[in-house]
Amino acid sequence: MTKAEVVLLAVPYAGHDALVTSLAAALAGKVVISCVNPLGFDQRGPHGLDLGGTSAAETAQGLLPDSVVVGAFHHLSAVSLNGDADLLHHEDVLVCGDDPEAKQTVMGLAATITGRPGIDAGALRLARQLEPLTAVLISINKRYKVRSGLAIHRVSGS
């Protein structure tokens, strides 16, 4: 039993459902951040797996009925997370979820990691687009030998 109020779910997609199910009691009452990316890799490169109209984050929410699942941190490179803080200062963290308070908590956590406030990207169902986007970034990284990330340019006006 963990005393943490927020738990990060960062596991390979293979075995995801069984693992999450086994943690349901321990994660009850917690905000669970899913950064799981259901990806496949073949000779043509990385690609998002077809989850039949859902996402890993939505599946986790279904398996954790007594928790609040928020999707975030999908596209931050593990190499960057383990490196200097300067590697992340240009990145935005897209946060999706159905609980506004939980999203605010995760957006605040994003700010402590990247120095930039997290961006409310909408409902949890939008994790269906965020999770496979990581395959695109991996492809860019490989092709150009860089560490790509996301930065949202916000323009105000009418």
Side-chain angles (χ1 to χ4, degrees), residues 91-112:
E91 296 222 34
D92 282 315
V93 175
L94 303 179
V95 179
C96 59
D98 297 332
D99 183 293
E101 186 176 319
K103 282 199 291 189
Q104 285 298 320
T105 297
V106 176
M107 289 188 296
L109 181 58
T112 65

Side-chain angles (χ1 to χ4, degrees), residues 8-11 13 16 32-39 41 51 54-61 69-81 88 91-97 103 106 110 113-114 118-119 121-138 141 148-150:
L8 183 72
L9 183 61
V11 299
Y13 186 68
H16 172 270
V32 177
I33 303 169
S34 174
C35 62
V36 175
N37 292 312
L39 301 178
F41 298 87
L51 300 185
T54 192
S55 65
E58 290 172 290
T59 300
Q61 183 63 83
V69 176
V70 175
F73 301 104
H74 295 99
H75 55 276
L76 292 185
S77 159
V79 172
S80 295
L81 284 168
L88 295 170
E91 296 222 34
D92 282 315
V93 175
L94 303 179
V95 179
C96 59
K103 282 199 291 189
V106 176
I113 293 170
T114 66
I119 294 182
L124 188 61
R125 69 183 182 178
L126 293 176
R128 298 173 199 175
Q129 284 73 43
L130 292 181
E131 292 171 357
L133 179 60
T134 301
V136 175
L137 296 175
I138 292 169
N141 292 346
S148 60
L150 296 177

Side-chain angles (χ1 to χ4, degrees), residues 1-7 26-32 66-69:
M1 192 82 129
T2 179
K3 294 184 181 185
E5 294 177 24
V6 178
V7 177
L27 298 178
K30 315 247 182 251
V31 172
V32 177
D66 298 321
S67 304
V68 176
V69 176

